[in-house]
Amino acid sequence: MIGQNPKAAKYAGISTKRNIFLVMAIAGAFAGLGGAFHLMGQFPYYLTGSTFRIDTVGFDAIGVALLGHGTAIGIFFASLLFGGLRQGAGLMQLSANVPGDLVYIIQALVLFSIAAEFLPAIQSRLNKWMIPRRGKAV
Protein backbone atom coordinates (compact mmCIF):
# COMPACT_ATOMS: atom_id res chain seq x y z
CA MET A 1 0.00 0.00 0.00
CA ILE A 2 2.84 2.36 0.80
CA GLY A 3 4.52 1.79 -2.55
CA GLN A 4 1.37 2.38 -4.57
CA ASN A 5 -0.08 5.36 -2.71
CA PRO A 6 1.80 6.69 0.32
CA LYS A 7 -0.81 9.40 0.94
CA ALA A 8 -3.59 6.83 1.25
CA ALA A 9 -1.44 4.69 3.54
CA LYS A 10 -0.75 7.69 5.75
CA TYR A 11 -4.46 8.53 5.82
CA ALA A 12 -5.21 4.91 6.83
CA GLY A 13 -2.93 5.31 9.83
CA ILE A 14 0.07 3.37 8.55
CA SER A 15 3.43 4.84 9.53
CA THR A 16 5.06 5.29 6.12
CA LYS A 17 8.48 6.41 7.32
CA ARG A 18 8.80 3.52 9.75
CA ASN A 19 7.68 0.93 7.20
CA ILE A 20 9.97 2.29 4.48
CA PHE A 21 12.89 2.14 6.91
CA LEU A 22 11.93 -1.39 7.92
CA VAL A 23 11.72 -2.56 4.31
CA MET A 24 15.09 -1.02 3.49
CA ALA A 25 16.65 -2.63 6.56
CA ILE A 26 15.29 -6.05 5.59
CA ALA A 27 16.49 -5.59 1.99
CA GLY A 28 19.94 -4.61 3.26
CA ALA A 29 20.05 -7.64 5.53
CA PHE A 30 19.18 -9.94 2.63
CA ALA A 31 21.81 -8.24 0.45
CA GLY A 32 24.38 -8.75 3.21
CA LEU A 33 23.43 -12.40 3.56
CA GLY A 34 23.69 -12.85 -0.19
CA GLY A 35 27.13 -11.26 -0.24
CA ALA A 36 28.26 -13.38 2.70
CA PHE A 37 27.07 -16.58 1.03
CA HIS A 38 28.78 -15.54 -2.18
CA LEU A 39 32.06 -14.96 -0.37
CA MET A 40 31.73 -18.19 1.61
CA GLY A 41 31.88 -20.08 -1.65
CA GLN A 42 35.30 -18.62 -2.44
CA PHE A 43 38.43 -20.44 -1.38
CA PRO A 44 39.98 -19.77 1.24
CA TYR A 45 36.93 -17.99 2.72
CA TYR A 46 38.38 -14.58 3.36
CA LEU A 47 38.41 -11.23 1.62
CA THR A 48 41.25 -10.67 -0.80
CA GLY A 49 41.67 -8.60 -3.91
CA SER A 50 41.04 -11.62 -6.11
CA THR A 51 37.69 -12.32 -4.45
CA PHE A 52 36.09 -9.32 -6.11
CA ARG A 53 36.88 -10.22 -9.68
CA ILE A 54 34.62 -9.19 -12.50
CA ASP A 55 31.24 -10.29 -11.26
CA THR A 56 28.29 -8.78 -13.09
CA VAL A 57 25.48 -10.27 -11.01
CA GLY A 58 24.28 -6.86 -9.78
CA PHE A 59 24.25 -5.34 -13.24
CA ASP A 60 22.48 -8.39 -14.63
CA ALA A 61 19.85 -8.02 -11.91
CA ILE A 62 19.16 -4.45 -12.99
CA GLY A 63 18.78 -5.59 -16.58
CA VAL A 64 16.51 -8.47 -15.59
CA ALA A 65 14.29 -6.15 -13.55
CA LEU A 66 14.04 -3.70 -16.45
CA LEU A 67 13.28 -6.43 -18.95
CA GLY A 68 10.71 -8.03 -16.65
CA HIS A 69 8.96 -4.67 -16.05
CA GLY A 70 8.88 -5.40 -12.33
CA THR A 71 6.43 -8.29 -12.58
CA ALA A 72 7.22 -11.68 -11.10
CA ILE A 73 6.58 -13.69 -14.26
CA GLY A 74 8.43 -11.14 -16.39
CA ILE A 75 11.46 -11.25 -14.12
CA PHE A 76 11.34 -15.05 -14.18
CA PHE A 77 11.47 -15.18 -17.99
CA ALA A 78 14.04 -12.38 -18.21
CA SER A 79 16.30 -14.20 -15.77
CA LEU A 80 15.95 -17.37 -17.84
CA LEU A 81 16.96 -15.40 -20.93
CA PHE A 82 19.99 -13.77 -19.30
CA GLY A 83 21.03 -16.99 -17.58
CA GLY A 84 20.70 -18.98 -20.78
CA LEU A 85 22.76 -16.44 -22.67
CA ARG A 86 25.46 -16.39 -20.03
CA GLN A 87 25.55 -20.18 -19.68
CA GLY A 88 25.63 -20.71 -23.43
CA ALA A 89 28.54 -18.32 -23.95
CA GLY A 90 31.16 -20.93 -23.09
CA LEU A 91 29.65 -23.60 -25.32
CA MET A 92 29.29 -21.04 -28.08
CA GLN A 93 33.01 -20.28 -27.81
CA LEU A 94 34.02 -23.92 -27.89
CA SER A 95 31.79 -25.27 -30.63
CA ALA A 96 31.23 -22.33 -32.99
CA ASN A 97 34.36 -20.20 -32.38
CA VAL A 98 32.12 -17.23 -31.60
CA PRO A 99 33.52 -14.78 -29.04
CA GLY A 100 31.91 -15.11 -25.62
CA ASP A 101 31.65 -11.34 -25.33
CA LEU A 102 28.88 -11.45 -27.91
CA VAL A 103 26.55 -12.32 -25.01
CA TYR A 104 27.29 -8.97 -23.37
CA ILE A 105 26.56 -7.20 -26.67
CA ILE A 106 23.22 -9.01 -27.00
CA GLN A 107 22.31 -8.11 -23.42
CA ALA A 108 23.24 -4.47 -24.07
CA LEU A 109 21.06 -4.40 -27.19
CA VAL A 110 18.14 -5.82 -25.21
CA LEU A 111 18.60 -3.17 -22.51
CA PHE A 112 18.92 -0.37 -25.06
CA SER A 113 15.68 -1.48 -26.71
CA ILE A 114 13.96 -1.36 -23.32
CA ALA A 115 15.47 2.03 -22.53
CA ALA A 116 14.05 3.29 -25.83
CA GLU A 117 10.57 2.99 -24.29
CA PHE A 118 11.42 5.84 -21.94
CA LEU A 119 12.73 8.21 -24.62
CA PRO A 120 9.37 9.88 -25.46
CA ALA A 121 8.76 10.70 -21.80
CA ILE A 122 12.26 12.09 -21.39
CA GLN A 123 11.97 14.08 -24.59
CA SER A 124 8.65 15.63 -23.58
CA ARG A 125 10.05 16.67 -20.20
CA LEU A 126 13.12 18.15 -21.84
CA ASN A 127 10.95 20.07 -24.28
CA LYS A 128 8.88 21.52 -21.43
CA TRP A 129 12.03 22.51 -19.62
CA MET A 130 13.89 23.92 -22.63
CA ILE A 131 11.11 25.94 -24.29
CA PRO A 132 10.57 29.23 -22.45
CA ARG A 133 7.01 30.32 -21.79
CA ARG A 134 5.73 33.56 -23.30
CA GLY A 135 6.31 36.56 -21.14
CA LYS A 136 8.26 34.63 -18.52
CA ALA A 137 12.00 34.41 -18.21
CA VAL A 138 13.46 31.01 -17.57
Side-chain angles (χ1 to χ4, degrees):
M1 183 172 179
I2 292 173
Q4 295 294 322
N5 194 349
K7 290 181 182 178
K10 196 172 209 177
Y11 183 74
I14 298 172
S15 175
T16 55
K17 290 181 181 180
R18 184 180 69 85
N19 283 327
I20 288 173
F21 178 77
L22 186 64
V23 166
M24 291 297 175
I26 291 170
F30 280 129
L33 281 173
F37 286 140
H38 181 70
L39 288 176
M40 285 171 53
Q42 304 291 327
F43 181 79
Y45 309 122
Y46 63 91
L47 296 174
T48 61
S50 65
T51 303
F52 296 106
R53 64 189 185 284
I54 298 172
D55 192 10
T56 60
V57 174
F59 294 110
D60 288 345
I62 293 170
V64 165
L66 281 174
L67 184 60
H69 290 289
T71 63
I73 192 74
I75 289 174
F76 175 73
F77 286 123
S79 65
L80 285 179
L81 172 70
F82 274 39
L85 283 171
R86 186 65 55 89
Q87 194 64 28
L91 184 62
M92 196 168 60
Q93 274 183 312
L94 291 174
S95 63
N97 291 331
V98 176
D101 292 334
L102 186 64
V103 169
Y104 295 113
I105 295 170
I106 292 171
Q107 286 179 348
L109 289 174
V110 168
L111 293 178
F112 282 139
S113 66
I114 291 180
E117 292 179 20
F118 300 108
L119 286 179
I122 293 170
Q123 185 178 12
S124 68
R125 288 188 184 198
L126 282 176
N127 286 339
K128 288 179 184 177
W129 182 68
M130 297 294 285
I131 298 173
R133 295 184 184 100
R134 292 183 189 172
K136 294 182 180 178
V138 177

